[in-house]
Amino acid sequence: MLKALSTNPNIKKPPSQFVSKPKLLLHTCCGICSAWIPEKLSLDFEVTIFYFNPNIHPREEYEKRREAVRQMSEILKIPMLEGEYNPRVWFEKVRGFAGEREGGARCPLCFEMRLLRTAEEAKKFGFEYFASTLTVGRFKPAVVINPIGEKIAAEVGVKFLAGDFKKQGGEMESQKRGREFHLYHQNYCGCVYSLKDRRE
Ligand code: SF4
């Protein structure tokens, strides 16, 4: 049986239900990322989850992670959109960076691609903000991701909600929720290169 999510002590009390909240499109890359952050942000925003991750290899892995996000979307009653899965475009974007390790020069390009697409969708569908759960990951530095988001926000004309979700227990809470809900939990970042590194 599912726990009442609002009993979580790490989550602030919601503002009055009569106050309208700004709409936020939240890029999300896996079930664990979706286990806690969308609910936390829902206190202040009208959140829609956006699953756009052409970096993930292979397709079966992409689908497993998407299914875990969908599970959380249903549990939290937060709507979810999915972008197209076109790994070829991702490979074009990171061409020449195959030899980089996770955290190296390939990753900012990968972040940029996913954030840019989120901002464009946000603009198209009238969201005031866009954001990403990416900073919840231990190897996803906010000092790298937030400036990319800010730059894209200025280019596209949608506000970026900067943050560092791994802080203040965010990483632990997301992992804990993932276990509670028996979500699929991947053991590599996502792309074929990170899978290869993990296997080695
Ligand atoms: S290691 Fe992760 S963040 Fe870096 S390029 Fe691969 S999928 Fe993207």
Side-chain angles (χ1 to χ4, degrees):
M1 194 166 144
L2 298 178
K3 243 167 84 175
L5 296 173
S6 56
T7 58
N8 184 332
N10 288 327
I11 292 177
K12 292 180 289 173
K13 286 259 183 288
S16 161
Q17 59 180 315
F18 301 112
V19 176
S20 75
K21 301 173 194 173
K23 285 171 70 182
L24 179 144
L25 189 62
L26 179 64
H27 167 260
T28 303
C29 60
C30 66
I32 304 301
C33 291
S34 323
W36 179 70
I37 298 165
E39 185 185 11
K40 176 184 165 58
L41 293 177
S42 289
L43 301 176
D44 299 309
F45 297 91
E46 192 185 321
V47 175
T48 297
I49 293 169
F50 183 49
Y51 186 73
F52 174 69
N53 300 292
N55 55 313
I56 298 175
H57 175 90
R59 176 180 278 277
E60 296 72 44
E61 177 71 18
Y62 171 85
E63 288 171 356
K64 277 187 202 165
R65 297 188 195 190
R66 181 187 60 194
E67 174 55 20
V69 176
R70 194 195 59 73
Q71 267 176 266
M72 281 317 301
S73 151
E74 284 193 0
I75 290 167
L76 299 174
K77 300 197 181 350
I78 293 178
M80 171 185 174
L81 300 173
E82 182 187 5
E84 73 286 349
Y85 179 61
N86 188 351
R88 201 159 3 136
V89 179
W90 182 83
F91 279 109
E92 273 302 309
K93 176 82 178 171
V94 303
R95 193 205 289 256
F97 294 90
E100 294 287 329
R101 309 283 301 187
E102 182 180 351
R106 186 182 62 242
C107 297
L109 298 170
C110 179
F111 302 147
E112 186 184 33
M113 181 183 192
R114 291 182 284 165
L115 285 170
L116 175 61
R117 183 59 200 283
T118 309
E120 287 171 348
E121 290 297 307
K123 177 88 175 173
K124 189 161 135 197
F125 290 107
F127 288 81
E128 287 170 73
Y129 286 84
F130 75 103
S132 174
T133 57
L134 282 169
T135 60
V136 80
R138 198 168 300 174
F139 303 109
K140 307 281 186 303
V143 289
V144 173
I145 293 169
N146 286 334
I148 294 173
E150 300 289 3
K151 180 176 99 36
I152 291 171
E155 286 165 6
V156 177
V158 188
K159 291 179 215 162
F160 175 65
L161 183 74
D164 191 353
F165 292 117
K166 71 179 81 47
K167 291 202 168 148
Q168 297 164 340
E171 188 185 358
M172 230 169 57
E173 192 57 37
S174 299
Q175 301 279 355
K176 189 170 127 239
R177 284 282 190 85
R179 285 192 296 274
E180 278 173 14
F181 294 127
H182 307 290
L183 294 178
Y184 172 67
H185 193 169
Q186 66 277 358
N187 62 4
Y188 64 101
C189 185
C191 64
V192 65
Y193 309 118
S194 61
L195 175 60
K196 189 168 151 278
D197 286 348
R198 176 54 59 127
R199 284 177 176 158
E200 285 168 3

